Amino acid sequence: MERRIGFIGLGNMGYPMAENFLKKFGQVMVYNRSQQKCLDLQKEGASIVSNLKELMESNDIIGLSLPGPKQVEPVVEELLENGKEGQIIMDFSTISPALAVSLSNKAQEKGIHYYDMPVSGGPAGVRNAALSIMIGATKDEIEKNDLMPYLETIGKTFHFIGGRGNGQAIKIINNYMAFATQVINGEALAMADALGIDEDTFYNVVTTSSGNNMILKGKMNKVKEKDYQPGFALDLVVKDLELARDCCNNLQMPNFTLNTGLQMYRLAQRKGCGALDSSSVIQVIRDLNKKDE
Ligand code: NAD
């Protein structure tokens, strides 16, 4: 029997995810905090509901892509209250490893499977079914529940990291690396400005030399065109770096670069960049470094 799929959170990532599920399986039922996104997807053929109870009662598999732990925890708890044995929750949001473990344990008490499956690759990665997905489960578990057809609808590279929470752990490490590097990229561009190296020369040389990095290339057009429509909102970077910092605090580990990077994004938030793309931090760093005449 065809399994029914529901989806929660129709943002930059969730909307194209739900859209892909709709195209591939001919059906998706959606719920979002702001109704307009649901209405948009309804025009493409999705069915919509106005509460989580109905979504959970009507579907076998639920996907979610919510901003962070503050939204995920109450939503999943409500799903579990209304769920039944055998249902599956695929959580594509980035949250803390500890919360993923705790939600999975609560789910298990009801015979429900909760998997942390954070992703990398942005909205374009979803649309091209090219995401990298970091799965807090073994390949065996995922295949036993026949989830690969769903994951292949949005992703291309699948990392099975074993136990629950491990998908989130590696995702947070990845984002720490990417977003701390983006601060270095901003400081490098500010140096180029000060030394009279124009932007095109900077990118031409560095993207073909040892200073190159994935986020430099990935955000190059946005930076050059000053197009700070998200993409990946800067507020979400602060959330991810705070998750990484909390992990280090729990481990009583120092984290110098992480903390410095986090302060730059906080500063950018205070300059009004929270809802803009993460790469707007580069503009803030360049502006801060402009010499007063
Ligand atoms: P977003 O802010 O664009 O979307 C979140 C959506 O969730 C919005 O539509 C919002 O209305 C909805 N929402 C919020 N609270 C809700 C609730 N309680 N119930 C129902 N709907 C609710 O965020 P996004 O960029 O799509 O990111 C989603 C997740 O994916 C985050 O955890 C983020 O860290 C992660 N992520 C994002 C990217 C990216 O490039 N944007 C890449 C990888 C991972």
Side-chain angles (χ1 to χ4, degrees):
M1 201 181 68
E2 239 353 80
R3 292 185 294 179
R4 299 194 63 77
I5 180 156
F7 202 91
I8 305 163
L10 300 178
N12 291 319
M13 297 297 279
Y15 191 98
M17 283 179 180
E19 202 173 30
N20 285 11
F21 290 130
L22 175 63
K23 283 184 191 147
K24 177 144 171 197
F25 300 104
Q27 163 274 324
V28 69
M29 181 181 280
V30 293
Y31 172 81
N32 192 58
R33 192 179 47 187
S34 54
Q35 258 254 312
Q36 188 53 49
K37 300 275 181 67
C38 290
L39 296 172
D40 291 345
L41 205 58
Q42 190 182 38
K43 284 189 201 130
E44 298 184 40
S47 53
I48 62 178
V49 283
S50 58
N51 62 78
L52 293 168
K53 183 172 188 288
E54 195 181 340
L55 188 98
M56 193 63 173
E57 285 173 355
S58 316
N59 293 285
D60 306 296
I61 299 179
I62 313 288
L64 49 119
S65 178
L66 296 173
K70 280 195 210 100
Q71 294 80 17
V72 168
E73 187 168 18
V75 164
V76 172
E77 282 182 348
E78 198 174 334
L79 293 177
L80 296 180
E81 267 167 39
N82 294 289
K84 56 181 185 298
E85 197 177 333
Q87 283 179 300
I88 294 170
I89 300 173
M90 300 189 296
D91 189 357
F92 303 113
S93 329
T94 307
I95 60 169
S96 70
L99 179 58
V101 171
S102 142
L103 292 175
S104 168
N105 289 342
K106 286 182 189 167
Q108 243 172 16
E109 285 167 20
K110 292 198 78 170
I112 296 171
H113 301 282
Y114 167 91
Y115 295 113
D116 52 309
M117 297 179 161
V119 302
S120 180
V126 183
R127 282 192 290 273
N128 301 325
L131 291 176
S132 164
I133 309 186
M134 303 158 217
I135 302 158
T138 62
K139 194 172 183 202
D140 271 3
E141 282 175 89
I142 297 302
E143 285 179 348
K144 212 163 79 190
N145 284 305
D146 201 14
L147 293 181
M148 286 314 292
Y150 298 91
L151 298 183
E152 283 160 0
T153 306
I154 56 172
K156 190 163 76 188
T157 314
F158 310 103
H159 302 284
F160 300 94
I161 324 285
R164 240 45 105 234
N166 288 351
Q168 296 296 352
I170 189 69
K171 168 66 182 169
I172 287 168
I173 294 169
N174 175 79
N175 280 19
Y176 151 57
M177 293 174 75
F179 292 120
T181 304
Q182 184 161 250
V183 170
I184 296 177
N185 295 343
E187 290 176 341
L189 270 156
M191 276 179 76
D193 295 338
L195 291 166
I197 306 286
D198 68 75
E199 213 174 42
D200 283 339
T201 305
F202 171 87
Y203 278 112
N204 287 342
V205 174
V206 176
T207 59
T208 53
S209 303
S210 52
N212 193 21
N213 56 75
M214 207 162 162
I215 195 160
L216 180 76
K217 253 189 149 161
K219 298 292 185 184
M220 179 175 73
N221 290 339
K222 289 184 97 52
V223 171
K224 277 185 167 182
E225 286 157 27
K226 296 194 178 9
D227 159 25
Y228 298 122
Q229 281 283 103
F232 194 118
L234 194 138
D235 281 341
L236 293 177
V237 175
V238 171
K239 180 253 316 180
D240 287 355
L241 292 179
E242 284 178 344
L243 290 173
R245 182 207 51 195
D246 293 348
C247 280
C248 289
N249 283 350
N250 292 339
L251 294 163
Q252 297 182 301
M253 280 185 72
N255 48 26
F256 302 99
T257 319
L258 196 165
N259 270 310
T260 308
L262 175 57
Q263 305 316 312
M264 283 311 310
Y265 289 100
R266 285 235 178 94
L267 189 66
Q269 273 182 322
R270 292 189 68 82
K271 299 275 180 194
C273 298
L276 303 181
D277 190 69
S278 74
S279 56
S280 59
V281 75
I282 289 180
Q283 190 63 52
V284 171
I285 296 171
R286 291 171 91 178
D287 289 347
L288 282 172
N289 279 285
K290 270 193 192 138
K291 204 169 173 199
D292 290 336
E293 295 304 327

